[in-house]
Amino acid sequence: MEGIWVFAIAVFTGFIAINNPVGNVPIFLSLTRQADRPTKKVISRKATFTAFIIVSGFIILGKYIFDFFGLTIPAFKITGGILVFFVGFEMIRAQVSSIDNQKEVNFNEEISISPLGIPILAGPGTIVTAMNFTTTASYLQLGIILVMFALVMYLNHLAFLSSEYLVRYIGANKIVVVEKIMGLIIAIIGVNMLIEGIHIAFME
């Protein structure tokens, strides 16, 4: 039982680092600055649901995708580790990730699908993180991964709905600090994936 909780916490930490709600708030505000509150609520709900469906597909079908394309776990972990590291590295440099994010687009409700749903919430970094957890996961662990990602998406939805208040009371500068801390955690996760991949490759 203790192992399940440790796994759940590890999964939640990985998702919240790569897809932290507070760090996404300024992006949401910049994309929806011309929208009224009811419209923002609809956009937030659609975006988080879209991201959940996309990433859930990779979580559930991850093993089949590996088999179909003939992918190996070491190759995936090494490539994914490098990708995740650079996402975190860009966040540490206080830049919006060119891999996962876009800063501005002309307002349209379709932004709930793109770029907000994908690639901001369900970008390569998030997908790689999800599939990294699924490579050797049991069915119980797959269920935990789905629940943890759903929780992170719900937290993003709450953050989007409270975005104006968060920026007002937390302050833009403190949000940048949070993003840098999350960036460091993401970079470490990426390096750990890289080390795991190299270790597995040489152990085989």
Side-chain angles (χ1 to χ4, degrees):
M1 189 67 181
E2 182 179 348
I4 294 175
W5 282 107
V6 171
F7 179 77
I9 292 171
V11 172
F12 178 78
T13 302
F15 279 138
I16 205 72
I18 198 78
N19 203 325
N20 79 89
V22 175
N24 287 330
V25 162
I27 302 169
F28 178 78
L29 285 175
S30 69
L31 291 173
T32 60
R33 64 165 61 95
Q34 299 178 39
D36 55 23
R37 183 167 179 78
T39 303
K40 287 182 179 181
K41 185 175 181 179
V42 172
I43 291 173
S44 174
R45 185 169 59 247
K46 285 184 178 180
T48 51
F49 181 73
T50 297
F52 176 75
I53 293 299
I54 292 171
V55 176
S56 293
F58 281 95
I59 292 172
I60 296 170
L61 301 176
K63 294 181 180 180
Y64 300 102
I65 293 172
F66 270 65
D67 293 337
F68 182 79
F69 289 102
L71 304 178
T72 64
I73 293 177
F76 176 80
K77 285 184 174 290
I78 291 171
T79 304
I82 294 172
L83 177 61
V84 171
F85 170 80
F86 276 109
V87 172
F89 180 70
E90 290 186 21
M91 289 176 65
I92 293 173
R93 295 172 58 202
Q95 296 177 358
V96 177
S97 171
S98 59
I99 298 174
D100 271 346
N101 303 321
Q102 297 178 18
K103 284 187 177 179
E104 296 184 10
V105 294
N106 294 327
F107 176 72
N108 187 305
E109 284 193 35
E110 292 305 314
I111 64 173
S112 60
I113 307 299
S114 178
L116 194 53
I118 181 170
I120 291 173
L121 292 177
T126 304
I127 293 171
V128 166
T129 300
M131 291 189 68
N132 176 60
F133 288 123
T134 66
T135 51
T136 57
S138 64
Y139 287 110
L140 175 59
Q141 289 173 326
L142 285 177
I144 292 173
I145 295 169
L146 285 171
V147 170
M148 290 300 103
F149 187 70
L151 176 58
V152 171
M153 285 299 97
Y154 180 68
L155 292 176
N156 270 277
H157 178 59
L158 293 181
F160 289 161
L161 295 183
S162 308
S163 55
E164 295 178 0
Y165 300 102
L166 287 173
V167 171
R168 186 180 307 151
Y169 291 108
I170 296 178
N173 291 334
K174 291 181 180 178
I175 288 178
V176 171
V177 172
V178 170
E179 186 173 3
K180 284 191 175 185
I181 294 172
M182 292 299 181
L184 177 61
I185 294 173
I186 291 169
I188 293 172
I189 291 174
V191 172
N192 188 58
M193 288 173 61
L194 179 61
I195 293 171
E196 285 181 357
I198 293 173
H199 177 72
I200 294 172
F202 280 99
M203 288 293 290
E204 291 182 345

